[in-house]
Amino acid sequence: MNLRKHMGLLIIVVAAFAFSLALASPVSAQEQKPTKFVTIGTGGVTGVYYPVGGAISRLINANREQHGIRATVESTGGSIYNLNTIRAGDLDIGVVQSDWQYHAYYGTSRFSDVGPNKKLRALFSIHPESFTVVARKDANVTKFEQLRGKRVSIGDPGSGQRASMDLLLERMGWDHSVFGATFDLKAAEQSIALCNNQIDAMVYFVGHPNGSIQEATTTCDSVIVEVAGPVIDKMIEELPYYRSAVIPGGMYRGNPTEVKTFGVGALLVTSSDLPDDVAYEIVKAVFDGLESFKRLHPALEHLTRQSMATDAIAIPLHAGAEKYFKETGLIK
Ligand code: GLU
């Protein structure tokens, strides 16, 4: 056999071997990257958390070929449910109120029984929320104190509004017995119950505008109730996560003037167990797509990269978020 014949045979053997390898592993290199599934816990479907969670997952999933992360959204009871479920390791990420992020991390207030969750981490801050009380017009309630003796939905036990309502009542020296009756309605059920005259008032700690308050003010005649006075002023002064807030006039039917209340910030939190590269890619997806994120819900209108990296964050940042914020100069 001459050399050329040898070479020919060798080429055939090598080619056949490569071909058989290709057959044995028909998956492309891209598909081989294992998909990492993350679930985002939100709130009721007529609130802001749910559509915001949807917007976040859309931005993450748009680049899933590159980073391998696939996000899904779950409608939940709200902040308290999300914080408890993240602690239990059954939820990866959640949208929560800044007051309850603080208490969950430090193990204070309603988290004093379970103790601190030192694994809780912030990803980024989102929209402002206002403690919102809506009453039927015929209930003649325009100020919070006038809720005495009324039928009030104080919120689902897993919700942020319920926890903040209980805290407010405690500071006022009130308890549930001052009301004529209390109901634990889910966020999405409250407006319907209000307009069906099953309750006189509902409480929702939520960003504006939102579907629930819109439903309550368009289905029947109802008014947004002022939550102000010395107890609120003292709360804002003493507790760093509370601020004064207003619900703008003219945003909802039958409510032409602005109403005073107090507020918090909503933020996205997770556990330190979430891998750093996953947290990094999630933050990057939202910050890179910020302009389209803001267009997805009117409550997101005033967000800036800077406010989202710092506002309302009272616990350590997740290392992946910190890396992104440092890289982009948002924090030092
Ligand atoms: N702030 C509410 C909560 O923590 C949820 C508001 C919303 O769903 O937009 O339960």
Side-chain angles (χ1 to χ4, degrees), residues 203-277:
V203 174
Y204 204 3
F205 215 146
V206 67
H208 293 277
N210 65 75
S212 173
I213 308 300
Q214 209 145 15
E215 187 178 30
T217 49
T218 51
T219 313
C220 59
D221 290 338
S222 60
V223 295
I224 299 172
V225 174
E226 184 184 275
V227 188
V231 174
I232 306 297
D233 292 345
K234 198 151 178 264
M235 235 169 83
I236 294 170
E237 200 186 297
E238 288 177 5
L239 306 172
Y241 33 79
Y242 291 127
R243 29 170 123 140
S244 58
V246 291
I247 297 153
M251 188 173 263
Y252 299 105
R253 186 186 81 95
N255 288 274
T257 46
E258 102 178 3
V259 179
K260 275 206 229 163
T261 182
F262 68 100
V264 290
L267 67 155
L268 199 66
V269 297
T270 185
S271 157
S272 55
D273 291 340
L274 188 78
D276 292 358
D277 58 329

Side-chain angles (χ1 to χ4, degrees), residues 58 75 136 155 207 230 240 244 255 294 298 325:
R58 211 177 307 172
S75 166
R136 291 177 59 80
S244 58
N255 288 274
K294 285 163 68 171
F325 296 157

